[in-house]
């Protein structure tokens, strides 16, 4: 059989992988398609096959012989891996379109899932070719397909959000990239990513969090394991800036900007948005001021906010109006008294220091309740005893 002859030729070319080829041939001859697909999944991930066109040849000379007999989503996974070995994007797209057509012709149930997985890779190739319009069209079609399905495989979700994140990155839509990239991470295992990939993604996520409109919750990003990829590298300063933003520490932020001025200067997006970054950390400083005060003491003098943020009272009013407009807080500004009464603050992910502060406040509340209980017991002994 042609498929077995091809495996034999590969064995001669790569004798060090003889055991792999023997196992593949055995599973193929016994028609154990599920086990064969699992073994192939490990096989195509070997470093020796990541360059050249070996996987392309493997697909056309071996996998095509049984491609519709294995799990069709697994086939889509193989097809996408193979497509990345084509040197020309048009050739890769043509190959994927051919596989999608084969899948369509199987008339199997849930065929939309593997076809969508393939179309998302086509969308990514289109984006790499500079065709944003076609990429957006395929993403919109993909979103509609996902919404119409139930029990969608995590790999399909991950692919959709990854392509979406890259589309927004190309367009410098920071907030949208941030949202899509975090959703991508929700559907994959961080441990499966290479160190270089994790570092690049952590860097992009950090920049998008800082620059994204209406992104004020840094706790979620700091709690994610991928962000630790920045620690111990030349861009560790970015991790510390995120920490400063998360706690609204304006002094710390200004000190980091001074120490790492050269590194910051190498990031045009940060330089171009310097005023925006200062406004954002001032808003986060305001939220930290509110959070640190007891619930019964939420009437704050504007002068106190001005002192912490190093702003004039007039600028503090502008800061409060901005915070109210994006629904980070709810409250009333009293210009006559020069105060603001805050009735609500947007919930956010807390860091360890903030949780410790919350614990201390809860301890104080418990003490007050206990004191009140003792007072009631002392004043109404007969009522309590009865």
């Amino acid at each position: 059989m042609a498929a077995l002859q091809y495996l034999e030729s590969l064995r001669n070319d790569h004798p060090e992988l003889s055991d792999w080829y023997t196992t593949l041939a055995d599973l193929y001859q016994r028609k154990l398609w599920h086990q064969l697909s699992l073994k192939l999944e490990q096989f195509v991930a070997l470093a020796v096959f990541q360059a050249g066109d070996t996987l392309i040849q493997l697909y056309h000379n071996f996998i095509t012989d049984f491609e519709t007999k294995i799990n069709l989503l697994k086939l889509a996974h193989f097809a996408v891996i193979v497509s990345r070995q084509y040197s020309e994007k048009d050739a890769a797209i043509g190959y994927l379109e051919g596989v999608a057509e084969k899948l369509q012709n199987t008339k199997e149930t849930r065929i939309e899932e593997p076809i969508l997985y393939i179309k998302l890779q086509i969308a990514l190739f289109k984006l790499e070719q500079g065709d944003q319009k076609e990429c957006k069209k395929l993403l919109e079609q993909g979103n509609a397909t996902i919404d119409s399905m139930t029990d969608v495989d995590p790999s399909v979700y991950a692919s959709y959000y990854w392509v979406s994140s890259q589309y927004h990155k190309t367009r410098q839509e920071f907030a949208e990239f941030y949202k899509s990239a975090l959703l991508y991470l929700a559907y994959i295992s961080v441990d499966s990513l290479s160190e270089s990939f994790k570092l690049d993604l952590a860097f992009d996520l950090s920049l998008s969090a800082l620059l994204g409109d209406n992104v004020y919750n840094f706790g979620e990003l700091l709690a994610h394991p991928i962000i630790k990829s920045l620690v111990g590298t030349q861009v560790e300063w970015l991790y510390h800036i995120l920490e400063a933003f998360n706690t609204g520490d304006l002094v710390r932020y200004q000190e980091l900007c001074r120490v790492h001025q050269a590194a910051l200067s190498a990031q045009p997006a940060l330089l171009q948005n310097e005023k925006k970054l200062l406004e954002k950390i001032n808003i986060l400083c305001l939220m930290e001021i509110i959070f640190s005060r007891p619930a019964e003491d939420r009437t704050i003098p504007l002068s106190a906010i001005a002192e912490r943020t190093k702003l004039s009272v007039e600028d503090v009013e502008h800061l409060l109006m901005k915070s109210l407009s994006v629904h980070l807080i709810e409250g009333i500004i009293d210009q006559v008294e020069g105060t603001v009464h805050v009735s609500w603050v947007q919930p956010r992910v807390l860091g360890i220091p903030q949780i410790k502060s919350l614990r201390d406040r809860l301890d104080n509340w418990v003490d007050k309740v206990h004191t009140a209980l003792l007072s009631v017991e002392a004043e109404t002994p007969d009522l309590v005893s009865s």
Side-chain angles (χ1 to χ4, degrees):
M1 297 173 70
L4 291 175
Q5 290 173 354
Y6 176 71
L7 285 181
E8 189 61 33
S9 68
L10 283 179
R11 189 203 308 272
N12 295 332
D13 293 338
H14 299 281
E16 73 279 6
L17 300 175
S18 177
D19 291 344
W20 282 92
Y21 296 124
T22 300
T23 303
L24 291 174
D26 177 58
L27 294 172
Y28 173 81
Q29 288 177 306
R30 293 162 63 191
K31 298 182 180 181
L32 298 175
W33 308 125
H34 174 65
Q35 291 87 334
L36 179 57
S37 66
L38 295 178
K39 198 65 179 177
L40 271 172
E41 199 169 29
Q42 300 170 11
F43 185 68
V44 299
L46 295 175
V48 69
F49 299 125
Q50 302 314 304
D53 67 347
T54 308
L55 294 182
I56 298 174
Q57 299 304 321
L58 179 72
Y59 176 84
H60 289 297
N61 292 289
F62 183 61
I63 297 176
T64 50
D65 196 72
F66 55 87
E67 58 187 353
T68 58
K69 297 173 183 176
I70 62 174
N71 179 288
L72 296 181
L73 183 57
K74 277 278 191 288
L75 173 61
H77 289 170
F78 293 144
V80 166
I81 293 169
V82 170
S83 71
R84 294 170 185 155
Q85 287 206 331
Y86 281 90
S87 56
E88 298 292 332
K89 293 289 187 289
D90 286 334
I93 291 170
Y95 159 72
L96 287 174
E97 287 174 341
V99 176
E101 187 176 348
K102 288 180 185 178
L103 288 169
Q104 192 69 60
N105 292 336
T106 62
K107 310 294 184 184
E108 293 283 343
T109 57
R110 291 183 63 83
I111 198 62
E112 301 91 351
E113 197 171 40
I115 289 176
L116 173 57
Y117 189 81
I118 285 175
K119 285 187 174 180
L120 288 168
Q121 182 61 37
I122 292 174
L124 189 58
F125 284 143
K126 290 288 185 182
L127 184 64
E128 291 170 358
Q129 288 181 320
D131 192 347
Q132 292 184 19
K133 186 177 179 180
E134 185 62 22
C135 178
K136 182 182 180 182
K137 177 184 173 183
L138 288 167
L139 280 171
E140 288 172 347
Q141 291 174 355
N143 187 41
T145 302
I146 287 174
D147 287 344
S148 68
M149 297 173 64
T150 56
D151 298 325
V152 180
D153 190 85
S155 66
V156 178
Y157 272 124
S159 181
Y160 172 78
Y161 287 118
W162 175 250
V163 178
S164 178
S165 73
Q166 296 309 290
Y167 171 77
H168 293 304
K169 179 182 176 180
T170 301
R171 295 175 59 82
Q172 291 201 321
E173 295 169 343
F174 300 111
E176 291 81 1
F177 168 83
Y178 180 72
K179 179 182 176 182
S180 294
L182 279 181
L183 284 168
Y184 162 73
L185 289 171
Y187 289 101
I188 56 104
S189 167
V190 175
D191 294 336
S192 68
L193 305 175
S194 68
E195 291 303 318
S196 60
F197 184 92
K198 286 192 285 189
L199 177 58
D200 289 343
L201 184 53
F203 185 81
D204 288 343
L205 271 168
S206 301
L207 285 184
S208 64
L210 292 170
L211 299 171
D213 292 333
N214 299 329
V215 179
Y216 294 96
N217 191 343
F218 291 81
E220 183 180 8
L221 180 57
L222 285 168
H224 200 286
I226 198 168
I227 209 66
K228 296 296 188 291
S229 302
L230 298 173
V231 178
T233 69
Q234 293 183 339
V235 291
E236 185 175 345
W237 55 269
L238 194 53
Y239 176 80
H240 297 303
I241 285 180
L242 287 177
E243 287 186 316
F245 269 73
N246 189 50
T247 56
D249 192 338
L250 182 60
V251 174
R252 173 69 171 152
Y253 170 64
Q254 291 173 332
E255 175 65 14
L256 286 167
C257 288
R258 186 186 64 78
V259 173
H260 301 288
Q261 186 176 2
L264 285 164
S265 299
Q267 299 300 323
L270 293 178
L271 290 178
Q272 292 165 10
N273 292 277
E274 189 175 349
K275 288 184 179 179
K276 183 178 178 180
L277 288 169
L278 191 57
E279 180 186 67
K280 180 176 280 194
I281 196 167
N282 277 324
I283 288 174
L284 289 165
C285 181
L286 168 66
M287 293 180 71
E288 195 65 25
I289 292 170
I290 297 167
F291 176 78
S292 63
R293 297 174 80 94
E296 68 273 10
D297 184 23
R298 289 288 175 85
T299 300
I300 310 168
L302 300 185
S303 57
I305 300 173
E307 185 180 351
R308 282 279 297 273
T309 58
K310 309 295 189 251
L311 296 173
S312 65
V313 172
E314 185 179 336
D315 288 336
V316 167
E317 290 178 1
H318 173 76
L319 193 71
L320 287 166
M321 287 187 283
K322 171 72 174 179
S323 303
L324 288 163
S325 69
V326 296
H327 205 59
L328 290 173
I329 62 172
E330 290 180 2
I332 300 171
I333 302 172
D334 188 335
Q335 289 181 307
V336 176
E337 295 293 329
T339 61
V340 58
H341 177 73
V342 180
S343 56
W344 178 86
V345 183
Q346 185 186 76
R348 56 187 179 139
V349 178
L350 303 180
I352 297 300
Q354 293 161 320
I355 292 173
K356 286 180 179 177
S357 171
L358 191 61
R359 182 195 64 188
D360 293 340
R361 285 159 58 186
L362 285 171
D363 287 343
N364 290 335
W365 176 79
V366 169
D367 291 341
K368 288 180 181 179
V369 171
H370 183 64
T371 302
L373 175 63
L374 293 176
S375 176
V376 170
E377 288 177 344
E379 293 180 12
T380 56
D382 295 335
L383 180 62
V384 173
S385 60
S386 63

